[in-house]
Amino acid sequence: MTLTQELELKKRLLQESTKLLNMQIQAAKDAMDEAQESANEHHGAIEDKFESFREACQIQRDMYARQLDELITTMGVLKRVNSTKENKEVSFGAVVMTELQNYFIGVSLGEIKIDGESFYAISGLSPLYKAMEGKSSGESFEFRGKSYKVLQVF
C-alpha cells in the first residue's frame, strides 16, 4: 500500500467512526427527549398514581443525558485523530495491521468494515492498546496468551 492509500484508508476509518458516533449521539438525544415527553404528558394526571411513573421517566432521561455527555466526550477524543499523519509506531490515531486482526486506535466503537475488510476501533485506554503501544512493523506483542505480529502501522 502506498502512503496515499494508507492515509486514505485512515481517513475513511475516521469518517466511519465519526458517522457511527454521531448515530449513537442522535439515538441518545432522541431517547432523552422521548423520556422527557413521557414525563411531561403525565403531568397533572391523577397525581399519586403517575408521580412514580414521572419520576421513572426523569431517571431514564437523566441516564440518557449521562450517556449523551459520555458520547460527546468520546467525539472530542475522536476529533483529535489526525488522518493526514503517518504513524511509524502504534500510537493514538494509528491503523495497526496484525496477522490476526486490524485495529484503528482512537475510541472504542467495535468493528468497522471498509471495502469488506474488518478493523476494530479501540480506545487508547484499552488493555489491548497498552499491549501494542510503541510497537512498529515487524515487532510482536502478547495479549491474553496470544502472540500478535505487527505487519503494518500507519
Side-chain angles (χ1 to χ4, degrees):
M1 239 192 294
T2 66
L3 179 60
T4 307
Q5 289 170 315
E6 289 173 359
L7 294 178
E8 181 58 33
L9 175 59
K10 187 185 288 197
K11 189 170 124 192
R12 288 183 61 198
L13 281 164
L14 185 58
Q15 287 170 339
E16 193 60 31
S17 295
T18 303
K19 189 173 100 183
L20 284 169
L21 205 47
N22 277 327
M23 285 166 47
Q24 290 178 10
I25 286 171
Q26 193 55 55
K29 280 181 183 170
D30 293 347
M32 197 174 89
D33 292 345
E34 206 172 289
Q36 186 63 57
E37 279 173 32
S38 291
N40 292 346
E41 280 170 16
H42 291 86
H43 192 57
I46 310 164
E47 283 304 317
D48 290 345
K49 189 173 182 186
F50 291 102
E51 196 58 39
S52 61
F53 174 76
R54 205 164 74 231
E55 285 171 10
C57 290
Q58 287 301 132
I59 289 167
Q60 200 172 25
R61 184 203 163 281
D62 292 347
M63 179 190 72
Y64 290 123
R66 279 192 302 278
Q67 188 179 21
L68 182 60
D69 282 348
E70 286 171 17
L71 290 167
I72 289 168
T73 300
T74 301
M75 183 62 86
V77 172
L78 191 61
K79 284 185 189 308
R80 293 196 339 250
V81 172
N82 182 352
S83 64
T84 61
K85 176 182 181 263
E86 181 188 14
N87 297 72
K88 296 283 188 198
E89 59 182 38
V90 179
S91 56
F92 183 77
V95 175
V96 183
M97 301 178 110
T98 72
E99 78 270 79
L100 299 175
Q101 290 176 317
N102 303 320
Y103 302 95
F104 177 49
I105 315 299
V107 298
S108 180
L109 287 168
E111 185 179 13
I112 297 174
K113 283 197 185 286
I114 302 284
D115 298 332
E117 197 165 0
S118 289
F119 294 84
Y120 291 88
I122 65 170
S123 161
L125 301 172
S126 70
L128 176 58
Y129 170 73
K130 296 290 185 212
M132 68 171 90
E133 186 176 16
K135 301 289 184 212
S136 52
S137 296
E139 291 189 283
S140 296
F141 65 94
E142 294 275 326
F143 183 70
R144 292 197 178 139
K146 278 189 186 161
S147 182
Y148 293 75
K149 184 174 182 189
V150 178
L151 302 176
Q152 205 176 357
V153 179
F154 55 89

